[in-house]
């Protein structure tokens, strides 16, 4: 049994770092583990201009400290401009752009109401090699919340990938067997991020002995068969699948509420949680590819020089970090980072 594993320092290809006080609280946790992170633009107001993104990047660097590189994203709206996207990409502010179907998740009200509205922007992104990051859920009220991802593939994503054969597309935080299959079958320009919670929880976690707000995120966790399919994809070694925590902190009062916010704060013990999953599946030798190699390869970025060593035996996750309940509070993941 392996008790120690050394990997290239990982990156987080999907994280919410927030702003203001929350940014100050959470950024050091991401920076402690990850060399780089793709930072989601769903602030209020959303990050839609190059200037906003550049100023936000400065605030993140100040909060995270030395040795961490935030990779910024543009929030696509119905009015997204190809010129603005190309300018931000050329100025190396924007690494990618994010598609939120309007209303699909937290702070997505300014998102895209119809994919046809951003057709010209997507053509431009394809031409300049700028990846499109997709929150893949339909929002129509007639579609069951547990089916929204699978229906999105049929109604939107399949034709998008077909119509833009050279556009790099990341299907973010996949949660279903349909998504895992779609990405596995798609050409090499389509990848996916996977969160720790979607590898560890099925939808029973939402109702275990009562209503569990700290297991609630979007896309919502699914049936066991989906968890197993997503997990098989993550540990498979297939380069299309890579680490994206979707760490999305909310203060405890906003979670434990009659209308609780979606999102889990998993940044403090993220790599430890992934290590536990890969260990349980006998795939520790593939953790490095998932956490540290596949993402950079997809984005066309170099891998990190530094190494990270993980050792068996986790510490207890605290009940609170500031005013936020971290993912796994009160329990321990099987691994810890060696100092
Ligand atoms: N999901 N919460 C949030 C975003 C994500 O869809 C997501 O990427 C958030 O709070 O920003 C969540 O549950
Ligand atoms: Zn999302
Ligand atoms: Zn997210």
């Amino acid at each position: 049994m392996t008790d120690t594993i050394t990997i290239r320092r990982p990156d987080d290809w999907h994280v919410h770092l927030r702003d203001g006080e929350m940014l100050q609280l959470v950024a050091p946790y991401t920076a402690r583990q990850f060399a780089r992170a793709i930072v989601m633009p769903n602030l209020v107001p959303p990050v839609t201009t190059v200037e906003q993104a550049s100023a936000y990047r400065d605030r993140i660097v100040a909060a995270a400290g030395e040795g961490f590189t935030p990779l910024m994203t543009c929030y696509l709206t119905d009015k997204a401009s190809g010129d603005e996207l190309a300018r931000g990409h050329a100025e190396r502010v924007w690494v990618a752009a994010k598609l939120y179907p309007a209303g699909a998740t937290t702070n997505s009200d300014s998102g895209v109401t119809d994919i046809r509205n951003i057709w010209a922007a997507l053509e431009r992104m394809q031409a300049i090699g700028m990846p499109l990051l997709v929150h893949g859920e339909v929002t129509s009220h007639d579609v069951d919340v547990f089916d929204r991802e699978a229906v999105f593939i049929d109604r939107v994503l399949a034709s998008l990938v077909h119509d833009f054969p050279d556009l790099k597309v990341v299907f973010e935080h996949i949660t279903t067997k349909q998504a895992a299959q779609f990405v596995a079958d798609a050409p090499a320009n389509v990848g996916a991020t996977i969160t720790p919670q979607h590898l560890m929880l099925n939808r029973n976690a939402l109702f275990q002995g009562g209503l569990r707000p700290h297991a609630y995120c979007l896309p919502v966790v699914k049936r066991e068969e989906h968890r197993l399919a997503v997990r098989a994809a993550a540990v498979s070694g297939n380069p299309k699948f890579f680490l994206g925590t979707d760490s999305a902190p909310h203060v405890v009062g906003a979670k434990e509420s009659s209308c609780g916010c979606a999102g889990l704060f998993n940044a403090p013990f993220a790599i430890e949680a992934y290590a536990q999953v890969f260990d349980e599946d006998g795939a520790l030798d593939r953790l490095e590819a998932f956490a540290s190699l596949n993402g950079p390869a997809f984005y066309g970025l170099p891998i990190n020089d530094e190494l990270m060593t993980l050792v068996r035996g986790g510490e207890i996750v605290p009940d609170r970090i500031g005013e936020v309940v971290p993912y796994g509070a009160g329990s321990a993941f099987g691994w810890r980072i060696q100092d």
Side-chain angles (χ1 to χ4, degrees):
M1 194 164 75
T2 319
D3 289 326
T4 303
I5 168 173
T6 297
I7 60 173
R8 293 278 178 158
R9 185 145 177 241
D11 304 298
D12 185 351
W13 299 98
H14 183 133
V15 70
H16 301 264
L17 293 178
R18 313 302 196 202
D19 210 345
E21 262 180 61
M22 188 64 98
L23 170 64
Q24 302 301 322
L25 177 72
V26 304
Y29 289 97
T30 290
R32 177 177 155 264
Q33 308 213 329
F34 301 107
R36 297 168 289 196
I38 287 276
V39 180
M40 290 296 137
N42 63 332
L43 302 181
V44 190
V47 180
T48 54
T49 68
V50 184
E51 284 64 37
Q52 283 173 319
S54 169
Y56 183 33
R57 183 170 64 180
D58 291 345
R59 297 196 295 280
I60 295 168
V61 168
E66 291 283 293
F68 175 71
T69 305
L71 305 173
M72 308 309 289
T73 58
C74 172
Y75 185 118
L76 294 173
T77 68
D78 284 340
K79 297 198 189 79
S81 138
D83 286 343
E84 181 77 352
L85 286 161
R87 178 170 76 93
H89 191 249
E91 291 177 10
R92 296 179 180 274
V93 176
W94 280 331
V95 169
K98 182 69 194 269
L99 167 60
Y100 289 106
T105 188
T106 308
N107 300 336
S108 60
D109 296 349
S110 320
V112 174
T113 57
D114 189 321
I115 193 85
R116 280 168 296 203
N117 295 335
I118 59 164
W119 210 256
L122 294 177
E123 280 176 341
R124 192 68 175 274
M125 288 171 61
Q126 175 171 252
I128 63 176
M130 184 176 184
L132 175 71
L133 316 182
V134 182
H135 180 108
E137 289 191 289
V138 296
T139 54
S140 4
H141 294 285
D142 57 317
V143 179
D144 190 277
V145 68
F146 291 98
D147 298 334
R148 288 181 176 182
E149 183 176 280
V151 172
F152 183 86
I153 297 171
D154 296 339
R155 289 195 189 166
V156 183
L157 194 58
S159 56
L160 182 90
V161 165
H162 176 264
D163 292 337
F164 293 92
D166 296 320
L167 181 65
K168 283 190 193 182
V169 178
V170 183
F171 195 169
E172 298 289 340
H173 48 50
I174 61 166
T175 67
T176 57
K177 62 179 183 190
Q178 290 89 343
Q181 192 66 51
F182 177 81
V183 172
D185 292 344
N189 56 306
V190 179
T193 54
I194 302 180
T195 77
Q197 60 268 20
H198 293 108
L199 294 170
M200 298 178 120
L201 307 180
N202 65 33
R203 66 191 197 176
N204 290 346
L206 290 165
F207 308 109
Q208 199 147 33
L211 200 54
R212 296 288 187 166
H214 300 295
Y216 176 56
C217 63
L218 290 171
V220 69
V221 291
K222 303 295 191 301
R223 280 178 183 277
E224 179 66 356
E225 61 177 311
H226 295 292
R227 183 185 75 90
L228 293 175
V230 170
R231 198 159 155 137
V235 304
S236 68
N238 184 333
K240 286 181 167 149
F241 299 103
F242 39 90
L243 187 159
T245 63
D246 201 12
S247 186
H250 294 277
V251 295
V252 60
K255 294 285 297 172
E256 298 178 7
S257 147
S258 62
C259 185
C261 292
L264 310 189
F265 179 44
N266 59 28
F269 294 89
I271 195 69
E272 295 89 335
Y274 286 113
Q276 177 178 315
V277 167
F278 278 69
D279 186 18
E280 286 169 358
D281 287 10
L284 270 181
D285 58 330
R286 300 192 191 132
L287 177 65
E288 182 179 44
F290 177 80
S292 317
L293 308 180
N294 297 350
F298 186 90
Y299 276 87
L301 294 169
I303 59 173
N304 296 313
D305 287 332
E306 317 93 273
L307 302 175
M308 170 187 272
T309 297
L310 295 156
V311 293
R312 196 177 287 284
E315 55 182 288
I316 302 283
V317 178
D319 289 337
R320 289 275 199 288
I321 292 180
E323 264 188 89
V324 185
V325 176
Y327 176 60
S331 64
F333 300 112
W335 292 79
R336 66 175 188 279
I337 302 173
Q338 195 172 57
D339 297 323

